[in-house]
Amino acid sequence: MSKLWQKTTNVNQLVENFTVGRDREFDEQMAAFDVLGSLAHTQMLESVGLLEKADLDVIQQELKKIYADIQGGNFKIEAEVEDIHSQVELLLTRRIGEAGKKIHSGRSRNDQVLVDLKLYFRHELQEVVESVQTLFNLLISLSEKHKDVLLPGYTHLQIAMPSSFGLWFGAYAESLIDDLEMVLAAYHITNKNPLGSAAGYGSSFPLNRTLTTQLLGFEDLNYNVVYAQMGRGKTERVIAQALSSIAATLAKMAMDQCLYLSQNFAFVSYPENLTTGSSIMPHKKNPDVWEIMRGRCNRLQALPGDVAMMTTNLPSGYHRELQLLKELIFPAFADIKNCLHMATFMLEHIEVKNNILDDAKYAYLFSVEEVNRLVLGGMPFRDAYKHVGLAIEQGEFKPDRNIHHTHEGSIGNLGNAQISDAMQKLVAQFPFEKVSKAVEELVAPPKPSPVGRA
């Protein structure tokens, strides 16, 4: 394989195959972001006198054509090309000649892949946030719709106290807020510019790193060039923790749904075309979607450990195994977005059973209600507890099934408005508009020169 950076003979093919691995596969997902980085970098090079204006114009024009090809699905890394950076530079050189070879001045493949990854991660995190918002909004809607439908609450998987579908749906909605707090932290760490750190030790060129930060819509710089390189691996580790937090919420939700759909619970049902049957048992309606989601999300919860084991005890500077992190993080984004989408799809079709607590086996759910009623009537709590306990032992417990929960976050006062407000305030902290505007300006067609008056 011929490499743009190689000075001597080609690397042994066995070594090449082992070290490159799946890089091309994942690099194609970063193609658009590699072009964005080059658009910003070349503008900066021209601004500091390292690129002629005429060269910049032709480079920018061709980079924007490549970007359009990528967006249109008309781009591929050629079999004999090592990575996305080499492919873009090769295309430029073929199309515009020597000017295409000038785009690498002042940067290394190290900071080039760093900026590609950060732009890719930033984009993927935004899509995760948007998918979480969609599921959150549905959960709040379902919580309000079914707020008066009671179901058993459990501790130790034993019947405990009355709950409601309003509480159940709302609980997972609020859980997603805390998950997005983790995503926000990951986004802030991701959204810092490493470009200009070169191989991790800076450059003797008079680079303007503040300009590329602005052009790419980053919040700030990774200032120290050694730390910019150290961010490879650390960024992935923080992202992994954020994705695993969402996965934990979805896995618990999936487990609840598997239980609730079973005949022993029978709290919910789904249309037959969303469940699967058995090859020999005609009565089966299996929750395969929720089971697969539970498995995928459990695997995602192992992601932080996988990333940590890949990066633990590495000294500062670049190391080739950092490339393997793509094999962990890129599929993780696809998995979490797919699970969020399927959770939303399934819950859009959920059928909630009414009058669940009319079943006699749920009578003891109301024991605490009865104790509290006696306490409100003046009986000391310890005496009320013993009184109700004795009635249960003697088979004389006759519960009042009316529920009187009024405090914040309880059956009768869900707090969904406050939960929705918290989500809205959290999402507003993501600078998505700034990022979108920066990208639009980078890829915008050149403005026509003003026509002079006759």
Side-chain angles (χ1 to χ4, degrees), residues 160-181:
M161 291 177 65
S163 182
S164 71
F165 278 102
L167 280 177
W168 189 88
F169 287 117
Y172 284 103
E174 188 168 0
S175 181
L176 289 172
I177 296 176
D178 282 349
D179 297 334
L180 281 197
E181 291 280 9

Side-chain angles (χ1 to χ4, degrees), residues 42-113:
T42 50
Q43 281 193 50
M44 183 275 295
L45 290 180
E46 191 273 336
S47 75
V48 297
L50 290 174
L51 195 62
E52 295 293 329
K53 180 65 166 64
D55 285 340
L56 175 66
D57 290 344
V58 70
I59 288 169
Q60 291 267 313
Q61 182 179 13
E62 205 57 47
L63 282 173
K64 290 174 183 180
K65 288 180 182 178
I66 295 172
Y67 185 85
D69 287 342
I70 295 166
Q71 298 296 84
N74 302 314
F75 179 90
K76 197 82 176 168
I77 298 178
E78 298 167 27
E80 295 304 311
V81 176
E82 181 184 14
D83 54 33
I84 181 59
H85 328 301
S86 301
Q87 182 66 60
V88 170
E89 189 172 334
L90 183 63
L91 287 175
L92 276 178
T93 305
R94 282 178 186 166
R95 297 179 186 183
I96 64 176
E98 291 298 304
K101 299 179 181 180
K102 299 179 180 181
I103 69 169
H104 200 60
S105 300
R107 64 179 176 179
S108 163
R109 287 200 312 163
N110 298 70
D111 65 337
Q112 192 170 357
V113 71

Side-chain angles (χ1 to χ4, degrees), residues 105-245:
S105 300
R107 64 179 176 179
S108 163
R109 287 200 312 163
N110 298 70
D111 65 337
Q112 192 170 357
V113 71
L114 272 170
V115 80
D116 289 5
L117 285 168
K118 289 210 168 195
L119 293 173
Y120 169 79
F121 293 154
R122 188 174 72 177
H123 174 267
E124 290 294 303
L125 288 171
Q126 179 172 346
E127 291 199 340
V128 168
V129 171
E130 290 167 353
S131 295
V132 167
Q133 279 186 279
T134 300
L135 177 57
F136 173 88
N137 291 336
L138 176 61
L139 288 167
I140 291 293
S141 174
L142 289 169
S143 178
E144 287 295 319
K145 180 180 179 180
H146 300 293
K147 63 183 178 182
D148 296 324
V149 181
L150 299 182
L151 79 161
Y154 294 84
T155 63
H156 308 276
L157 270 182
Q158 306 294 306
I159 292 169
M161 291 177 65
S163 182
S164 71
F165 278 102
L167 280 177
W168 189 88
F169 287 117
Y172 284 103
E174 188 168 0
S175 181
L176 289 172
I177 296 176
D178 282 349
D179 297 334
L180 281 197
E181 291 280 9
M182 300 279 285
V183 175
L184 180 61
Y187 193 93
H188 283 317
I189 289 170
T190 298
N191 200 25
K192 293 181 181 179
N193 182 22
L195 192 57
S197 60
Y201 303 98
S203 173
S204 58
F205 287 124
L207 306 178
N208 184 345
R209 299 186 63 212
T210 298
L211 177 58
T212 55
T213 299
Q214 294 167 350
L215 290 171
L216 290 166
F218 283 117
E219 292 178 58
D220 207 344
L221 277 161
N222 284 133
Y223 285 94
N224 186 294
V225 292
V226 172
Y227 178 67
Q229 187 58 240
M230 286 165 59
R232 183 105 184 251
K234 182 173 184 177
T235 302
E236 286 90 338
R237 193 167 180 171
V238 175
I239 288 172
Q241 290 165 344
L243 299 187
S244 72
S245 183

Side-chain angles (χ1 to χ4, degrees), residues 200-391:
Y201 303 98
S203 173
S204 58
F205 287 124
L207 306 178
N208 184 345
R209 299 186 63 212
T210 298
L211 177 58
T212 55
T213 299
Q214 294 167 350
L215 290 171
L216 290 166
F218 283 117
E219 292 178 58
D220 207 344
L221 277 161
N222 284 133
Y223 285 94
N224 186 294
V225 292
V226 172
Y227 178 67
Q229 187 58 240
M230 286 165 59
R232 183 105 184 251
K234 182 173 184 177
T235 302
E236 286 90 338
R237 193 167 180 171
V238 175
I239 288 172
Q241 290 165 344
L243 299 187
S244 72
S245 183
I246 299 171
T249 295
L250 294 181
K252 189 180 290 288
M253 177 192 292
M255 183 62 201
D256 279 356
Q257 284 301 293
C258 290
L259 288 174
Y260 291 0
L261 186 61
S262 72
Q263 291 89 341
N264 288 344
F265 288 76
F267 298 161
V268 302
S269 63
Y270 289 93
E272 284 196 17
N273 64 342
L274 301 188
T275 59
T276 62
S278 163
S279 61
I280 63 171
M281 294 172 282
H283 67 282
K284 295 293 289 297
K285 288 180 68 174
N286 297 323
D288 284 20
V289 170
W290 291 114
E291 289 174 341
I292 291 293
M293 188 183 306
R294 181 176 60 195
R296 288 187 186 277
C297 288
N298 286 342
R299 186 172 64 187
L300 283 168
Q301 290 179 79
L303 185 63
D306 288 344
V307 174
M309 290 306 297
M310 194 82 75
T311 57
T312 294
N313 295 334
L314 288 182
S316 60
Y318 175 75
H319 310 279
R320 188 63 182 267
E321 63 262 50
L322 292 169
Q323 292 290 98
L324 298 177
L325 292 173
K326 296 177 188 175
E327 297 181 20
L328 299 177
I329 297 294
F330 282 48
F333 276 119
D335 276 349
I336 197 68
K337 289 189 294 182
N338 195 22
C339 287
L340 285 164
H341 171 73
M342 288 307 299
T344 301
F345 174 74
M346 291 297 287
L347 292 178
E348 284 173 341
H349 297 87
I350 193 171
E351 297 169 15
V352 168
K353 183 178 178 181
N354 291 295
N355 305 315
I356 295 169
L357 300 192
D358 288 352
D359 192 311
K361 67 174 174 282
Y362 296 126
Y364 294 156
L365 281 171
F366 298 91
S367 65
V368 177
E369 302 293 319
E370 183 63 18
V371 170
N372 291 347
R373 187 182 66 79
L374 293 173
V375 171
L376 288 171
M379 185 180 292
F381 177 82
R382 294 300 179 195
D383 293 341
Y385 181 91
K386 289 178 182 178
H387 177 83
V388 172
L390 184 61

